[in-house]
Structure formats: C-alpha cells, structure tokens
C-alpha cells in the first residue's frame, strides 16, 4: 500500500474584480497580501492548506493556482475590470476544482472537501443565469468534490443573494450598513486568514474541522431578511 503524503484542504478565494471595486483596489491588494503573509507566518498550518486566488468580472482570471504558500515568493495581484458575472465564477470552479483535487490525489495526498471564500460588492449582472452552474457546483450527489462556499457581500450585494451563494445559512455574511467598505474588505481577509489557520490547526491535531470566523463589520445574512 502506498503511504499517504498527508491530508490537504484546498481553499479558493474568489474576489469580485468588477469596475465598482475600483475605489477599493488598494484594500483588496492589502487584504490579499495580509492573507498570504499570514499563512506564511504559520508554516506548520500552511503545510495543510493549498490556496488559489481567482478574480472574476465578465470572466475569471487565475491570479494564483492552487499553491503551498510556503513555496510562493510572489504575491498575486488582482485587477479592476468589467461587470459582475457570477456564472463565470461558478462555471470556472465547476471545472477547476475536480482537476485540482485529482492532481493532489495523484501526488499522494488525501483531500478534504474544498472551501471557497466568495467576495462581491454587487448583484450579479448575469441575472439568474448563474444559478445553473452554481447548482451543479454544489450538488454533492453529482459532484463528489462539491465545495463548501462562504459568501460575503459588501456594498450593494444583497443578503438574499449571499444566502443563495453560500452552501449553508451560517456561511452567508453581509457587511453592516454603517461599515466602511475598505475596512470591511480588510476584515474579510482577516477572518479568512483566521479561518484557514484554525482549520489547518484542527487538521494537524487530527480533528479535521472547517472553522469559519465571522468577519468584524459583518453580520449573518439570514439576520438581514
């Protein structure tokens, strides 16, 4: 029997790059840098996580493929462009996640259910068309690698939409109305980092649990409707 090299948690950050995020580009860049540096500061935990960064607008751009952050010396860069096509994001993940998981398994790892951290500041510009790829993505009967999705809305993103994106009600958050959007973005990345560190620590302790921290300046979306 081939010995398993370890157990990994694939994590995907899917960040809205639409034009309305333009005023907050520096906040996005700073938050992303804090996430990457936070994982590097916890090498034993980072060993349990593989991180990918995707930016979406009309289409999806891969800003960083699934990576061991201990081995990455260049920070990924987001951009600001176009509209807010949710369907593009979910269609991309529908193809990307199974491929990535198979690659990890072929390398001798066991793989926990992937987790997606989704951040948007607006409503989908593709109407209801995103529901199809999203439904296929999260269908655990049809897709064995269906991810957990944590959805965080800021700006004009609505609570009911985040509840539709997230795979569990307690995984859907919206910024409080009084929140400064730049600060809310920073808190999203801070909570994301803490969640991955806590989840990685649980895996290292032999008690694999997905830990999700609510970002400051956010509340549960279910409390908004």
């Amino acid at each position: 029997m081939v010995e398993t090299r370890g157990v990994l948690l694939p994590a995907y950050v899917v960040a809205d790059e639409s034009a309305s995020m333009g005023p907050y580009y520096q906040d996005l860049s700073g938050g992303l840098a804090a996430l990457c540096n936070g994982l590097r500061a916890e090498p034993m935990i980072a060993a349990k996580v593989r991180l990918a960064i995707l930016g979406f607008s009309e289409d999806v751009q891969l800003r960083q493929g699934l990576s061991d952050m201990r081995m990455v010396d260049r920070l990924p860069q987001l951009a600001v462009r176009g509209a807010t096509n949710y369907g593009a994001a979910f269609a991309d993940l529908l193809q990307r996640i199974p491929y990535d998981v198979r690659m990890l398994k072929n390398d001798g790892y066991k793989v926990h259910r992937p987790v997606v951290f989704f951040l948007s500041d607006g409503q989908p510009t593709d109407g209801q068309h995103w529901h199809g790829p999203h439904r296929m993505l999260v269908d655990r009967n049809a897709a064995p690698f269906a991810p957990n999705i944590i959805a965080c809305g800021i700006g004009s993103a609505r609570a009911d939409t985040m509840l539709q994106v997230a795979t569990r009600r307690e995984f859907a958050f919206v910024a409080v109305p009084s929140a400064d959007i730049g600060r809310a973005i920073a808190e999203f990345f801070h909570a994301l980092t803490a969640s991955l560190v806590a989840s990685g620590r649980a895996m290292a302790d032999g008690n694999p649990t997905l830990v999700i921290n609510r970002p400051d300046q956010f509340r549960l979306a279910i409390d908004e409707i």
Side-chain angles (χ1 to χ4, degrees):
M1 178 180 288
V2 178
E3 185 175 352
T4 301
R5 296 177 63 184
V7 185
L8 297 177
L9 172 64
Y12 297 80
V13 177
V14 180
D16 189 341
E17 292 186 333
S18 60
S20 58
M21 293 292 277
Y24 313 107
Y25 175 75
Q26 293 301 325
D27 301 292
L28 279 170
S29 298
L32 195 55
L35 166 63
C36 295
N37 291 331
L39 288 176
R40 290 172 184 160
E42 299 273 1
M44 293 185 65
I45 305 305
K48 301 292 185 181
V49 176
R50 294 295 182 268
L51 180 68
I53 311 294
L54 286 74
F56 77 96
S57 60
E58 289 100 343
D59 61 4
V60 173
Q61 295 294 320
L62 182 64
R63 303 307 183 187
Q64 175 181 287
L66 206 63
S67 301
D68 181 344
M69 292 310 298
R70 300 172 301 169
M71 308 299 177
V72 176
D73 56 10
R74 182 178 180 181
L75 289 174
Q77 298 294 317
L78 296 172
V80 175
R81 58 200 178 88
T84 313
N85 190 322
Y86 279 27
F90 301 129
D92 182 276
L93 291 169
L94 186 61
Q95 302 299 317
R96 186 179 304 280
I97 288 177
Y99 175 83
D100 285 347
V101 172
R102 285 193 293 267
M103 292 295 291
L104 293 175
K105 286 178 172 288
N106 289 341
D107 286 342
Y109 292 100
K110 289 185 176 181
V111 182
H112 281 297
R113 186 172 299 281
V115 58
V116 173
F117 293 89
F118 181 89
L119 175 69
S120 179
D121 79 328
Q123 287 297 104
T125 53
D126 51 332
Q128 301 295 312
H129 297 292
W130 64 273
H131 288 287
H134 178 272
R135 190 179 304 112
M136 290 187 286
L137 175 66
V138 301
D139 183 353
R140 295 190 180 186
N141 293 320
F145 308 136
N148 290 300
I149 302 180
I150 291 80
C152 292
I154 56 178
S156 60
R158 296 205 311 255
D160 59 332
T161 304
M162 294 302 103
L163 282 164
Q164 293 175 60
V165 171
T167 48
R168 293 167 59 177
R169 287 185 165 193
E170 60 268 34
F171 289 171
F173 304 95
V174 287
V176 298
S178 60
D180 174 81
I181 292 181
R183 182 180 173 190
I185 291 171
E187 294 296 345
F188 165 79
F189 281 104
H190 178 77
L192 194 168
T193 305
S195 297
L196 289 179
V197 169
S199 299
R201 184 168 291 119
M203 292 170 60
D205 291 341
N207 181 31
T209 303
L210 178 62
V211 181
I212 301 301
N213 291 328
R214 178 180 61 82
D216 287 346
Q217 303 293 304
F218 285 76
R219 65 181 59 174
L220 284 168
I222 193 62
D223 292 337
E224 288 289 309
I225 62 173

